[in-house]
Amino acid sequence: MTHTGIVVEGLRHSYGGRPAVDGLSFSVQKGEIVGFLGANGAGKTTTLRTIAGTLEPDAGSVHVAGVDTRREPLVARTKTGYLAEHDGLWDGMTTRAVLAFHGAVRGLEGALLEQRLAWLSQRLELVPVFDKRVRECSLGFRRRIALAAALVHDPEVVLLDEPTHGLDPLQTRAFRALLLEIAPHKAVLFSTHVLQEVEAVCTRVLVLQTGRLVLDAHLRDLRLQAQALHCTVEDLVVRAAARTQAEVATP
Amino acid sequence: MTTGSRTGRAAWSRGVYLVARREAQATLDSNVAVATLIVALVASIAPFVQGFFLSGVVDATPFFLALPWTLALCLAALSMRLWSEEVRLRTMETWRALPLSPLQLVLGKWLSALLLHAVYLLLTTPVLLLLAAHGPVEWSRIAGGYMGSLLLGAWLLALGAWISSTTRDQTTAYVLSALTALALLALGDLRVWTVIDGWFPHAQAGSWLAAHLSPLSACQSLARGLVGLDAVVLLLGQTALFLWLNQQSLRAKTR
């Protein structure tokens, strides 16, 4: 497998017999930023968790940066940066300690680690809280600390679950700029409910409905289609998300 | 990105070390750990010192013989937070996303708690100075007692860590850990196993459980300076079993 991004094939996962993700297949190439859309409970978080390796799929395969997440889960995780839905930060640690720990676990040491911490603290504007405990930080700062922890080892694959949740408009704009800056060297998949965000940064969009992919399209194609149909990209995405499973099954 | 050059066993050990270090920092940050340390010291030293001044016998054995019961109650307070705290803080997913195996996580957390237990044992050494000031001390017995206490701590913390991984609530984890530890210890008490033997006179179930399941007799023989291989194997074997169960419990959470 020489693919440098994400390859998901036939992914299935169920909770107590209820399928959350059902036969999902897609790929994200290096250099792509792909928006992951869908209603609550559509299976976005489950999909991101199985790619990140925090959840074992019932069936199917996931490759990140050419590594099978089932066969070599630890290697796959060194190549992945994952921002979870809940920031998952240890309250008692300082920002510096959190980032140093995440870096050290991924093999970063000494000057290289310090260099990454300095870059991330500058880029994500974490300097004011760098030596503060996480519990003393606002929601916006916590989200950015978690994002820095996901990026500290400069991963090839970046998975972001609602990354701008809790950020103010300025912070959201800064986040988008960072994403565009790092994207040429990474495969980025992020879930969101905000279509404007997808339109602002994404090259492609995936729409999930009840665990199935109902739309996989390049944004430029969607824009052209919207122009032709005299509607908006949002209309097309909403229409796709509103399809029933029977419609999905019928070509 | 070029990262550290450690590979294989060195990288694996470093992973365990990093988890243990993070946990030790978190433990020191928690008031529960400091309070547990103080309570354990007072609960174990005060009755012994009182008994020593009443009897005047220079012997550390009573101190080590009472320790399993005190530690069963105190170390459960330390182990209860090891995993259930992560569930409360919603940080389990963070652990699972790191390139660390469940065994590395389990060992790291357990070792950090064991380190605190070792600190506790170190802080009980003034008891020895008190004894040495009043007469000749049998150092081999004391060495056996400390070895037994360290192994018992490892056993209790492994048991408590496993139970902590099965529940979301720290209080539940404490109660279950303390009760399970007390029950397993009690199985080795003469008064308990003779009663069980009385219930099943042909099977001798009580004596079998006391010899093969309860760590009490192993601790008692170590407290008397009798370092038997069977006692060490029993304590280490059960510790390994609880650590394995803890690892299995973590694996089950990703399904």
Side-chain angles (χ1 to χ4, degrees):
Chain A
M1 175 78 56
T2 52
H3 200 287
T4 53
I6 305 164
V7 180
V8 175
E9 283 171 336
L11 191 71
R12 283 177 206 277
H13 188 84
S14 53
Y15 296 105
R18 190 187 64 82
V21 176
D22 193 7
L24 193 63
S25 298
F26 66 88
S27 65
V28 180
Q29 302 278 352
K30 183 178 175 182
E32 272 191 313
I33 306 178
V34 176
F36 208 25
L37 290 162
N40 288 331
K44 302 189 298 293
T45 296
T46 301
T47 306
L48 289 174
R49 282 178 177 166
T50 50
I51 299 169
T54 66
L55 203 60
E56 271 185 36
D58 298 338
S61 69
V62 177
H63 287 78
V64 292
V67 179
D68 187 330
T69 58
R70 254 190 178 165
R71 284 191 185 157
E72 296 178 275
L74 304 189
V75 178
R77 282 182 229 163
T78 60
K79 294 173 182 293
T80 309
Y82 174 49
L83 173 70
E85 191 179 10
H86 306 289
D87 56 44
L89 297 169
W90 293 289
D91 276 357
M93 294 174 89
T94 63
T95 304
R96 178 193 291 278
V98 168
L99 300 184
F101 174 72
H102 278 267
V105 164
R106 259 85 182 219
L108 293 180
E109 289 178 85
L112 189 60
L113 178 61
E114 287 304 317
Q115 197 185 320
R116 284 298 294 174
L117 296 191
W119 184 78
L120 284 165
S121 64
Q122 290 290 332
R123 205 64 192 72
L124 288 164
E125 297 172 23
L126 294 172
V127 178
V129 296
F130 211 55
D131 291 309
K132 276 190 178 175
R133 287 180 193 271
V134 170
R135 72 166 73 99
E136 296 163 27
C137 298
S138 66
L139 184 63
F141 271 122
R142 289 181 70 109
R143 205 68 188 141
R144 281 181 282 158
I145 296 165
L147 181 62
L151 298 176
V152 70
H153 56 300
D154 198 13
E156 290 175 54
V157 167
V158 179
L159 306 167
L160 308 169
D161 200 351
E162 305 207 18
T164 55
H165 175 70
L167 300 187
D168 64 36
L170 283 177
Q171 291 166 351
T172 302
R173 183 173 282 195
F175 161 76
R176 288 175 188 166
L178 174 71
L179 209 55
L180 289 168
E181 186 183 324
I182 64 170
H185 315 288
K186 302 182 192 310
V188 182
L189 177 64
F190 82 95
S191 80
T192 179
H193 288 293
V194 187
L195 195 72
Q196 290 162 313
E197 209 157 85
V198 172
E199 290 198 76
V201 289
C202 290
T203 45
R204 220 171 101 214
V205 61
L206 301 175
V207 181
L208 269 190
Q209 188 218 36
T210 56
R212 288 180 174 213
L213 201 60
V214 292
L215 183 70
D216 178 353
H218 282 275
L219 213 66
R220 61 168 185 272
D221 295 338
L222 283 179
R223 286 196 185 106
L224 289 174
Q225 204 180 334
Q227 237 173 358
L229 295 170
H230 303 290
C231 63
T232 62
V233 171
E234 187 174 4
D235 293 333
L236 293 175
V237 170
V238 169
R239 225 174 277 170
R243 281 189 211 163
T244 63
Q245 279 198 36
E247 284 175 305
V248 175
T250 312
Chain B
M1 160 121 348
T2 312
T3 55
S5 57
R6 287 185 184 87
T7 52
R9 200 173 292 176
W12 196 89
S13 306
R14 183 167 163 77
V16 175
Y17 162 73
L18 289 168
V19 175
R21 196 178 68 176
R22 198 220 79 82
E23 285 301 303
Q25 284 166 349
T27 304
L28 292 176
D29 190 49
S30 135
N31 296 331
V32 175
V34 179
T36 304
L37 202 62
I38 293 167
V39 169
L41 282 169
V42 173
S44 57
I45 293 175
F48 172 72
V49 170
Q50 191 191 15
F52 168 70
F53 282 118
L54 286 173
S55 68
V57 180
V58 180
D59 184 9
T61 312
F63 171 74
F64 291 115
L65 286 178
L67 219 47
W69 309 99
T70 313
L71 291 181
L73 293 170
C74 293
L75 291 186
L78 203 61
S79 61
M80 69 178 183
R81 53 168 292 280
L82 288 177
W83 292 111
S84 48
E85 172 94 336
E86 305 289 354
V87 176
R88 189 180 66 82
L89 293 174
R90 291 177 161 178
T91 44
M92 280 302 287
E93 201 175 10
T94 307
W95 283 118
R96 288 201 287 263
L98 293 172
L100 295 167
S101 67
L103 185 60
Q104 282 174 295
L105 300 181
V106 167
L107 285 179
K109 279 184 170 266
W110 173 72
L111 284 172
S112 75
L114 192 58
L115 184 71
L116 196 73
H117 175 56
V119 169
Y120 156 76
L121 290 177
L122 201 67
L123 292 174
T124 62
T125 51
V127 171
L128 308 181
L129 301 177
L130 176 77
L131 290 177
H134 288 81
V137 174
E138 277 192 68
W139 293 107
S140 62
R141 276 192 168 206
I142 288 173
Y146 272 109
M147 184 182 163
S149 304
L150 189 66
L151 289 174
L152 176 72
W155 180 87
L156 285 166
L157 290 167
L159 170 70
W162 167 49
I163 290 175
S164 173
S165 72
T166 62
T167 175
R168 293 169 166 264
D169 181 51
Q170 291 194 32
T171 312
T172 309
Y174 175 81
V175 172
L176 286 177
S177 299
L179 286 180
T180 310
L182 289 172
L184 285 170
L185 286 169
L187 283 177
D189 189 283
L190 179 71
R191 288 160 294 187
V192 176
W193 66 255
T194 47
V195 168
I196 300 173
D197 271 353
W199 292 340
F200 312 98
H202 299 295
Q204 296 284 298
S207 5
W208 190 90
L209 288 171
H212 296 97
L213 192 66
S214 174
L216 190 66
S217 57
C219 293
Q220 285 170 340
S221 56
L222 287 166
R224 294 192 175 95
L226 306 167
V227 184
L229 188 64
D230 50 346
V232 175
V233 167
L234 181 98
L235 283 164
L236 287 181
Q238 290 192 5
T239 300
L241 173 70
F242 294 140
L243 292 174
W244 180 80
L245 287 170
N246 191 346
Q247 185 201 214
Q248 293 306 108
S249 165
L250 291 192
R251 282 189 196 281
K253 287 182 197 297
T254 63
R255 285 172 205 138

